Amino acid sequence: MSNKITAAITAVGGYVPEDKLTNFDLEKIVDTNDEWIRTRTGVEERRILKGAGMATSDMVVPAVRQLCEKRGIHPEEIDCLIVGTVTPDHVFPATANIACDKLGAKNAWGFDLSAACSGFLYSLTIGASLIESGRYKKVVVCGADKMSAIIDYTDRATCIIFGDGAGAVLLEPNEEGLGIQDSILKSDGSGCQFLHMKAGGSKQPASTESVLAKEHFVYQEGQAVFKFAVKGMADVSAELLERNNLTGDDISWLVPHQANLRIIDATANRMGLPKEKVMINIQRYGNTTAATLPLCLWDWESKLKKGDNIVLAAFGGGFTWGATLVKWAMTASDVSEV
Ligand code: UT7
């Protein structure tokens, strides 16, 4: 028997802001309607982080604090915090550094990872590698985005989709072979043209002109992204099953990125999974970018059983996409409500 160390998810935390922005609220702001948004995307409402100076780290902190409380550890025990985000508090320093300070995670190092909607999946693979190496015992992987900071609420093509939130998991060494099993991650930078933020980076620093031209907001060619997303997420999920000699019957849950219900359905169909095995909370939170996957785990945690095979799949800006196979390590009784 091998003594290979695997990285198990041993706690889940989440945070969504109180304030809701419903489809009916949006009807008053842009030329849209509840029926169009629900049938074309699946979204009914999203959460918005309000308050001057409130930033992505202010959602990371409660999510990680909850995770620590559930696991019964102090933030000082965290070795490393990775935050997948495209809406960091600042260009620098990293949101992870700021969050560690606010949490009192004095012994942790950390960094932000930019992979848009695949940010959590990319971060999970890196976090798992840190555990598997044997060097670190407690790595927190977080997906968090304050999308409302980069959305133009006069653009009906984007403002109807996105919302704010944060989710986090704790990774710890496991000797029963549970946890992160396999991962296929992909990227294609030629997709940048279809989904990006034009200004605010080194290519086009902020200027009066860039602000007036509304270039500090998400630019998305929805139809083009949709086509790549359907193919990318379905292909990679099917490939992951195949290379692990699994079929849909072996999978307990699909945890898909919550960008559009139609993309989720296409991925589930391709994997041969009935709807009952698919985590869907897009109707309540919209697309929270890097936070969608951990927020699903947060919502479904009490239904997950030790040994369940779970596939996490995402597609996002970059383009970036991928799928990860996880063998769940906790039983519902391990999960204490905080
Ligand atoms: O998470 C990161 C990755 N992102 C994604 O995966 C997003 C992928 N894309 C999508 O989810 C979809 O493309 C959108 C939800 C963004 C848009 O849906 P669509 O079905 O592709 O709409 P469309 O852009 O093709 O527009 C269809 C029609 C157009 O009207 P005509 O030309 O057919 O008369 C639009 O003008 O719907 C109109 N439309 C709207 N109508 C009401 C576009 N946006 C809206 C709106 N409300 N908000």
Side-chain angles (χ1 to χ4, degrees):
M1 207 179 117
S2 91
N3 285 329
K4 188 174 171 281
I5 298 169
T6 50
I9 295 173
T10 55
V12 182
Y15 176 81
V16 287
E18 295 272 301
D19 279 294
K20 293 177 183 171
L21 180 67
T22 67
N23 291 351
F24 299 103
D25 295 327
L26 284 168
E27 282 183 359
K28 296 179 196 132
I29 305 172
V30 287
D31 180 15
T32 191
N33 59 78
D34 171 60
E35 213 250 325
W36 191 96
I37 303 173
R38 268 189 297 107
T39 51
R40 304 304 290 174
T41 70
V43 187
E44 291 171 22
E45 60 185 36
R46 338 86 198 105
R47 301 299 180 99
I48 304 292
L49 184 65
K50 292 192 176 161
M54 293 299 278
T56 295
S57 68
D58 295 304
M59 298 189 290
V60 171
V61 167
V64 176
R65 198 168 277 146
Q66 185 186 61
L67 163 162
C68 289
E69 285 169 17
K70 279 170 151 181
R71 184 75 181 105
I73 63 167
H74 188 278
E76 281 182 7
E77 293 176 56
I78 298 171
D79 296 318
C80 179
L81 171 66
I82 308 173
V83 180
T85 187
V86 286
T87 51
D89 290 22
H90 301 276
V91 172
F92 76 91
T95 309
N97 301 150
I98 295 164
C100 282
D101 179 48
K102 289 179 180 174
L103 282 161
K106 293 199 182 85
N107 298 306
W109 61 285
F111 57 94
D112 293 356
L113 187 148
S114 173
C117 301
S118 307
F120 181 77
L121 219 49
Y122 274 35
S123 300
L124 191 64
T125 296
I126 293 177
S129 305
L130 295 177
I131 296 288
E132 288 158 9
S133 76
R135 278 187 73 175
Y136 299 99
K137 305 288 179 224
K138 287 185 172 53
V139 175
V140 174
V141 175
C142 190
D145 272 298
K146 183 190 172 190
M147 294 305 290
S148 61
I150 58 167
I151 291 299
D152 174 3
Y153 285 93
T154 65
D155 175 15
R156 70 174 185 176
T158 51
C159 73
I160 54 144
I161 309 168
F162 293 99
D164 302 338
V169 300
L170 175 66
L171 296 176
E172 293 187 82
N174 185 283
E175 290 184 3
E176 293 176 81
L178 300 168
I180 317 306
Q181 306 290 304
D182 192 14
S183 196
I184 303 177
L185 301 177
K186 308 247 185 190
S187 80
D188 177 0
S190 70
C192 173
Q193 59 185 303
F194 303 114
L195 181 50
H196 60 275
M197 192 200 289
K198 291 199 185 306
S202 58
K203 184 174 177 181
Q204 195 183 336
S207 65
T208 310
E209 289 73 25
S210 69
V211 172
L212 290 175
K214 297 186 169 184
E215 289 174 344
H216 296 271
F217 295 121
V218 170
Y219 170 85
Q220 176 170 262
E221 292 181 25
Q223 272 190 15
V225 178
F226 186 90
K227 280 181 204 145
F228 281 102
V230 165
K231 186 168 171 7
M233 219 159 97
D235 279 357
V236 81
S237 304
E239 188 184 337
L240 185 74
L241 290 192
E242 208 175 311
R243 100 170 177 191
N244 285 279
N245 296 315
L246 299 170
T247 68
D249 291 344
D250 304 306
I251 303 302
S252 302
W253 294 98
L254 168 65
V255 191
H257 173 50
Q258 313 280 308
N260 188 312
L261 206 48
R262 292 178 288 146
I263 302 173
I264 295 173
D265 288 345
T267 304
N269 285 342
R270 182 74 179 282
M271 294 171 72
L273 290 178
K275 212 149 192 169
E276 307 80 70
K277 289 186 172 184
V278 185
M279 297 187 192
I280 296 170
N281 57 15
I282 190 171
Q283 67 280 11
R284 291 192 287 136
Y285 307 141
N287 181 349
T288 54
T289 302
T292 60
L293 300 182
L295 282 177
C296 278
L297 293 176
W298 186 54
D299 276 350
W300 263 262
E301 192 180 13
S302 62
K303 295 194 172 66
L304 306 180
K305 296 191 208 70
K306 190 172 177 178
D308 276 356
N309 283 323
I310 299 175
V311 172
L312 295 89
F315 186 94
F319 293 132
T320 56
W321 68 104
T324 295
L325 177 66
V326 175
K327 221 176 236 306
W328 199 247
M330 291 186 279
T331 50
S333 57
D334 293 336
V335 181
S336 61
E337 280 308 319
V338 180

